[in-house]
Amino acid sequence: MIDYICCMQIGIIGLGDMGKLYAVWFAGAGYKVCGADMPLRFAELKNELEPKGVEVLLDGHEVARKSDFIIYCVEAEKIDEVVAAFARSTKFGAIVSGQTSVKHPEIAAFEKHLPQDTQIVTCHSLHGPAFSPEGQTLVVVRHRATDAVYAKALEIYKSLKSNIIEMDDYREHDRIVADTQAVTHMGFESMGSAWKNAGFFPWDNPAYAGGIDNVKILTTLRIFSYKSHIYAGLAILNPYAQKQVKYYAQAESELYKLMICENEIEFREKIYAARDFVFHESRTLLLLDDNIMKEFSLSDAAHKQKPNSHLSLLSMVYAWYKMGVNPYDNLICQTPPFKLRLGIAEYLFKNEEMLEESITTALYDKSIRGDDLEFHTAVHEWASIIGYGDLKGYKEHFEAAKSFFANRLNDGRDLSAEMIKRLGK
């Protein structure tokens, strides 16, 4: 069976960063691999990929016609257009997959345009192109495939040496990803927008000098170091994301109103109820190492740390409580930003002294109130853009914050990668 599978022709339609990563990896595993992108990139890609064993073709028709296993590696917002263009050339009985992070539009495009004899076993790599697939999480969704065909598809996916999570329903994938990616990214993006709007770099501010804050800063920079379309599609094209983003914005607003009214009794009730639900004693905790978190600072000076309300984390935990979501269940589709966010929230809520400082600071420390106002405003800006389904506005908002941090994005991505590696040991 393995010999037969290695004779299968794999075709990649869309040779962007992830498409190239997959093509080169499959070729290295011994498969025959071909691929195509836009015609204007043909010569460039041919020179880059053919020495690595990947045949570069002129267009998706040539790829679809000769390939037994076809992967569409294109943006979620363009998946319908691209599948419609090349579906009629699909080889009889081929297995078709997609690499979008949101499966609703992808499956709709496949169902609408692909021939009925096509088998659909799609996937989602929960990592960026800067990481090798080996050891990373790969979700495989069996949508329309016989047992024999599904077994062949799994063998191909296993050559990536990823940690494979199998699902039978693309809707379950999108529901989990709405939490692990869309809302997580929106939380970090809100921090970035808040710092940009306040006009300061957080690593220069004593209120952001702790280990938790290092994780917040580096993860925010990591997100803004990538392309806006990756996050826009996740947030706007996932039908579950809008609902969860709305919950997060409502949770943050509830807490912020109690803070400015200094309503301590109700504020504590909400925080403690959220703590007891999310960090129940039955949970297997992540237990991030504070000593490691403290090592990863972008600051050039030693700041005396000031108290921080950690409103972003209080809001996330309270939102999970309001939605009845156990984030530990969603670790099945974890990404580094989600695991870090859950990890620092856990660290805050399981440390009684730090949680008490956070509550007291949120309610009574006026020196941090301006920063919390900026965060409050940013959350609702992002929530409105996502709620309106405004892809263009999302990208513009993203690029505005990205340009503010431009000089430190590469540092942030490099340091965050090292931090992820260290905290994962």
Side-chain angles (χ1 to χ4, degrees), residues 43-71:
E44 165 205 341
L45 290 168
K46 191 175 181 70
N47 290 334
E48 178 185 355
L49 295 177
E50 292 208 339
K52 299 176 182 179
V54 178
E55 180 187 11
V56 178
L57 302 176
L58 281 171
D59 60 31
H61 287 298
E62 294 190 2
V63 174
R65 191 160 51 241
K66 73 180 293 185
S67 299
D68 305 295
F69 188 93
I70 304 164
I71 306 178

Side-chain angles (χ1 to χ4, degrees), residues 59-336:
D59 60 31
H61 287 298
E62 294 190 2
V63 174
R65 191 160 51 241
K66 73 180 293 185
S67 299
D68 305 295
F69 188 93
I70 304 164
I71 306 178
Y72 283 86
C73 290
V74 298
E75 300 169 32
E77 63 189 275
K78 295 180 179 176
I79 188 71
D80 184 77
E81 174 189 346
V82 177
V83 175
F86 304 122
R88 62 185 172 85
S89 297
T90 305
K91 186 175 180 179
F92 180 81
I95 305 170
V96 176
S97 175
Q99 243 296 13
T100 65
S101 302
V102 185
K103 294 305 174 189
H104 269 78
E106 179 185 288
I107 294 297
F110 287 167
E111 292 278 11
K112 181 179 178 183
H113 302 297
L114 290 175
Q116 284 301 307
D117 57 84
T118 305
Q119 310 271 326
I120 302 171
V121 184
T122 194
C123 69
H124 178 200
S125 294
L126 295 172
H127 62 90
F131 287 89
S132 159
E134 186 170 358
Q136 301 292 331
T137 301
L138 173 68
V139 178
V140 174
V141 182
R142 178 181 181 174
H143 180 66
R144 188 172 78 199
T146 65
D147 290 347
V149 166
Y150 183 62
K152 293 176 189 176
L154 270 184
E155 282 299 325
I156 293 172
Y157 286 128
K158 285 176 182 177
S159 72
L160 296 169
K161 298 183 179 178
S162 299
N163 175 30
I164 293 179
I165 305 297
E166 299 179 59
M167 291 187 179
D168 291 323
D169 190 343
Y170 69 93
R171 289 170 286 258
E172 177 69 2
H173 166 274
D174 282 1
R175 184 191 63 75
I176 294 174
V177 166
D179 180 35
T180 62
Q181 294 193 316
V183 182
T184 296
H185 297 153
M186 181 259 202
F188 285 113
E189 288 163 345
S190 297
M191 289 184 231
S193 292
W195 293 325
K196 187 260 304 179
N197 293 339
F200 68 81
F201 297 120
W203 52 86
D204 292 333
N205 190 316
Y208 303 93
I212 282 179
D213 298 295
N214 289 341
V215 175
K216 289 181 190 173
I217 292 166
L218 291 180
T219 308
T220 298
L221 293 179
R222 180 178 189 80
I223 286 170
F224 281 113
S225 74
Y226 289 111
K227 296 173 182 175
S228 59
H229 74 77
I230 297 170
Y231 305 106
L234 274 166
I236 290 174
L237 300 177
N238 186 332
Y240 301 101
Q242 290 192 2
K243 178 182 178 182
Q244 293 196 23
V245 164
K246 185 176 180 180
Y247 264 107
Y248 179 73
Q250 289 174 341
E252 187 278 336
S253 192
E254 282 183 41
L255 295 181
Y256 188 71
K257 289 173 186 175
L258 295 173
M259 287 162 55
I260 60 177
C261 293
E262 297 183 357
N263 186 337
E264 181 174 352
I265 293 175
E266 193 172 344
F267 188 82
R268 286 186 181 275
E269 285 177 355
K270 292 181 185 295
I271 296 302
Y272 293 153
R275 177 196 62 189
D276 294 343
F277 171 77
V278 174
F279 303 108
H280 189 270
E281 61 185 15
S282 65
R283 312 294 191 220
T284 301
L285 302 180
L286 298 175
L287 300 174
L288 297 187
D289 188 329
D290 186 51
N291 291 323
I292 294 176
M293 291 191 287
K294 285 177 178 176
E295 289 179 27
F296 289 88
S297 173
L298 285 175
S299 177
D300 296 325
H303 293 299
K304 183 179 179 182
Q305 186 177 350
K306 288 176 57 180
N308 191 320
S309 66
H310 297 298
L311 177 58
S312 64
L313 300 180
L314 299 181
S315 301
M316 188 71 263
V317 174
Y318 183 49
W320 282 325
Y321 165 66
K322 282 171 65 72
M323 290 186 288
V325 168
N326 172 9
Y328 291 91
D329 287 344
N330 291 344
L331 284 169
I332 189 175
C333 288
Q334 66 177 271
T335 60

